[in-house]
C-alpha cells in the first residue's frame, strides 16, 4: 500500500490511478456528478483509505477514501473529516466507512 505525506499528494496519486470522481457523503448514500448518481452502501467498495492528521490542530483531521462502484463503473475519492465534525449518516453507511 502506498504512503503519502499529505492530502494533496494522495489525491493526485489516486487520480493517476483512475479515481477521478468526487463523491459526496449524504445520509444514506454517496453522490457524484451533480447528484446524477446516488450510490448506496451495497453498491460501492472502499479500495483504500488514508488518514491525515494535522499535528498543530488535532481537530483538523481527515480521511481520504478511494472508492469504486462496479455497478456504475465509477472510481473516485471522498474526503471526510472525523471527530466532532463528522456527518450524520445511516448505520449502513457508518459501518461501510469505518476506518480500521
Amino acid at each position: 500500500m502506498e504512503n503519502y505525506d499529505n492530502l494533496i499528494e494522495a489525491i493526485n496519486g489516486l487520480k493517476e490511478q483512475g479515481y477521478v470522481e468526487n463523491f459526496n457523503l449524504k445520509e444514506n448514500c454517496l453522490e457524484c456528478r451533480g447528484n446524477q448518481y446516488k450510490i448506496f452502501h451495497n453498491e460501492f467498495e472502499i479500495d483504500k483509505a488514508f488518514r491525515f492528521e494535522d499535528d498543530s490542530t488535532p481537530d483538523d483531521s481527515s480521511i481520504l477514501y478511494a472508492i469504486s462502484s462496479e455497478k456504475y463503473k465509477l472510481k473516485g475519492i471522498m474526503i471526510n473529516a472525523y471527530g466532532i465534525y463528522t456527518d450524520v449518516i445511516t448505520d449502513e453507511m457508518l459501518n461501510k466507512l469505518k476506518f480500521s
Side-chain angles (χ1 to χ4, degrees):
M1 184 168 178
E2 61 269 48
N3 290 313
Y4 298 105
D5 292 328
N6 60 58
L7 184 60
I8 299 300
E9 185 180 291
I11 290 169
N12 291 335
L14 290 172
K15 285 191 178 195
E16 288 176 7
Q17 296 174 43
Y19 293 90
V20 296
E21 300 293 336
N22 291 309
F23 292 109
N24 295 306
L25 180 61
K26 299 300 180 183
E27 182 179 351
N28 65 345
C29 66
L30 300 178
E31 291 182 346
C32 71
R33 294 189 187 177
N35 303 331
Q36 180 181 356
Y37 290 96
K38 291 181 188 267
I39 305 170
F40 296 93
H41 73 279
N42 58 341
E43 299 174 329
F44 70 90
E45 295 299 323
I46 305 295
D47 300 328
K48 305 172 189 182
F50 304 93
R51 183 186 312 231
F52 295 95
E53 297 179 5
D54 185 342
D55 293 333
S56 62
T57 312
D59 290 341
D60 190 17
S61 301
S62 59
I63 300 174
L64 172 64
Y65 295 96
I67 297 169
S68 61
S69 172
E70 185 63 31
K71 178 177 181 177
Y72 297 105
K73 306 293 188 230
L74 298 171
K75 287 174 63 173
I77 61 171
M78 182 183 72
I79 302 167
N80 193 27
Y82 63 94
I84 62 172
Y85 300 107
T86 56
D87 298 316
V88 175
I89 57 176
T90 62
D91 288 343
E92 292 87 3
M93 289 296 289
L94 180 63
N95 287 332
K96 188 78 171 208
L97 298 173
K98 279 187 180 173
F99 188 88
S100 38

